[in-house]
Amino acid sequence: MKVRLPAWTATLTWKAACFIVVMCCTLAALLGALVHVEVTRQTVATAREKALGKLHDVSRAYEAGEALPPGSGLDPAGLPPKLRNLAVAGRRGTMVANRDGRPTMWAAAPADGRALATAIDYEQSARTINGLDNAIIGSSVLAIGGTLLVGAFAVTRVTRRLHQTATVARRITQGDLDARVGDPRTEDPSRHQDEVSTVAGALDTMAGSLQTKLESERRFTADVAHELRTPLTGLQAASELLPDGRPTELVRERVRTMRQLTEDLLEISRLDSGSEVVETDLHQLGRLARRVVRASGTDTEVVVVRDAHVETDRRRLERVLGNLVANAHRHGRPPVVLTVDGPVVTVRDHGDGFPDYLMEHGPQRFRSGGGKGHGLGLTIAVGQAEAIGARLSFVRAEGGGARAVLTLPDAGGLAE
């Protein structure tokens, strides 16, 4: 079973802290080991020279038949066996060992088939080495802690700027094209830019370019739709003067379609610009749904499981529900059922269901999965739903068919 680490372990601050700690510990261990080895070598060398010097004096006294100094003698008690064997074999040597619980530096030399040895106190040298080791450990801990604090401060400043850049990118994704990072390093040419400020500047430049292009497209769409309204109005008036007949009906139908398309484009332009004002009031959802179905003139069943009062813009909500009902009849198959369950309204048909692209990415303009229509009805429904603070989702129904689910903000009370 794979162990799942906590989410905070994936943050850049945590990774940087781990890297700093590992590198500091490695460096401290390496430097501490080098200092320990060098100081120990020098301390032992000094004690060895002192012990060998005393052994030389002891050897001269032994050869002269004089009394040996304290702590010296032939095969004295406490002499390490390895050092004694070395001396008996005819060689001189030194060794550090404990004598009566105290560290001692022994020096031995051969003397008539025995070991002539002397000892000096090594406790002070051992205490010096232990003190040095403790100082190395303490200074390493302090250095690691200080480096970790400084590194965490520096990394936190970088990650804070990265979080700000990511937040602005998400705001742009959600449609806030006025969002900018505004890093002071990018606004002041005299300051050197780091990688984070470069990314922030690139994001601001991209957002500005995207905003300019989208606003240009919105103006173009609105201008074209607005300019088409006048000739289409005249064309519709002229079509009414034509004699009745099949060709006249075809002309009138095409004119109505073009006028509806023009009105849809104007509505989409207003939604994109966010210039319209939402006028909310308290409405009974079941009654409003029945009125929408009657106005559509379609054979749609209305089921009220649980009625509710919602505070919303009635005109926009009727537009959303009307488009959903019309889309269900145009692209699906009967029966079409509109269900009210509290603040949730569902429109279901029994056709082939929504296309995959629509459920994944939402409605796309001038793209219709069934080959009919312009894909503007659902686009307008989504835009109007966002304007009134509702959430519109598209799913496939169990047993076949499509389900459009509109979730409205609840006013907090159910209808009597």
Side-chain angles (χ1 to χ4, degrees), residues 67-80:
L68 299 180
S72 304
L74 293 173
D75 296 332
L79 179 64

Side-chain angles (χ1 to χ4, degrees), residues 168-179:
V168 171
R170 283 191 289 267
R171 289 174 57 190
I172 294 174
T173 302
Q174 295 170 359
D176 184 7
L177 298 181
D178 293 325

Side-chain angles (χ1 to χ4, degrees), residues 23 43 75 115 232 235 276 292 305 310 364 372 384 402:
M23 292 303 298
T43 304
D75 296 332
L232 285 175
L235 187 59
E276 291 188 329
V292 169
V305 177
V310 292
Q364 299 181 17
K372 298 179 292 183
Q384 294 289 14

Side-chain angles (χ1 to χ4, degrees), residues 188-343:
D188 187 358
S190 62
R191 300 182 64 177
H192 296 290
Q193 295 188 15
D194 56 9
E195 290 78 1
V196 179
S197 60
T198 302
V199 173
L203 180 62
D204 288 347
T205 302
M206 181 198 69
S209 176
L210 181 62
Q211 184 178 28
T212 301
K213 291 181 180 180
L214 288 179
E215 289 179 351
S216 177
E217 292 179 359
R218 290 171 183 171
R219 287 194 300 269
F220 175 76
T221 303
D223 292 343
V224 169
H226 187 271
E227 292 299 325
L228 284 175
R229 296 180 73 181
T230 301
L232 285 175
T233 301
L235 187 59
Q236 184 177 18
S239 66
E240 297 296 332
L241 300 177
L242 295 175
D244 293 338
R246 180 59 180 169
T248 300
E249 291 297 326
L250 291 176
V251 172
R252 292 173 180 171
E253 180 184 354
R254 294 297 182 268
V255 172
R256 285 193 297 269
T257 301
M258 292 183 65
R259 287 204 63 183
Q260 184 61 46
L261 175 60
T262 302
E263 295 299 330
D264 288 346
L265 289 175
L266 284 173
E267 186 171 358
I268 289 176
S269 298
R270 290 192 295 267
L271 288 172
D272 289 342
S273 63
S275 59
E276 291 188 329
V277 179
V278 179
E279 299 178 356
T280 62
D281 199 355
L282 196 63
H283 299 281
Q284 187 173 344
L285 192 54
R287 183 184 304 170
L288 190 145
R290 292 188 182 94
R291 183 165 57 245
V292 169
V293 171
R294 284 196 302 269
S296 68
T298 59
D299 184 16
T300 303
E301 180 184 359
V302 178
V303 178
V304 179
V305 177
R306 184 168 56 103
D307 207 349
H309 283 99
V310 292
E311 187 174 2
T312 186
D313 189 318
R314 181 181 61 83
R315 182 185 65 84
R316 295 178 185 275
L317 179 56
E318 288 180 348
R319 178 66 160 154
V320 174
L321 297 180
N323 283 12
L324 294 179
V325 170
N327 181 81
H329 283 280
R330 182 179 298 115
H331 298 287
R333 288 191 295 270
V336 176
V337 182
L338 187 152
T339 304
V340 176
D341 188 0

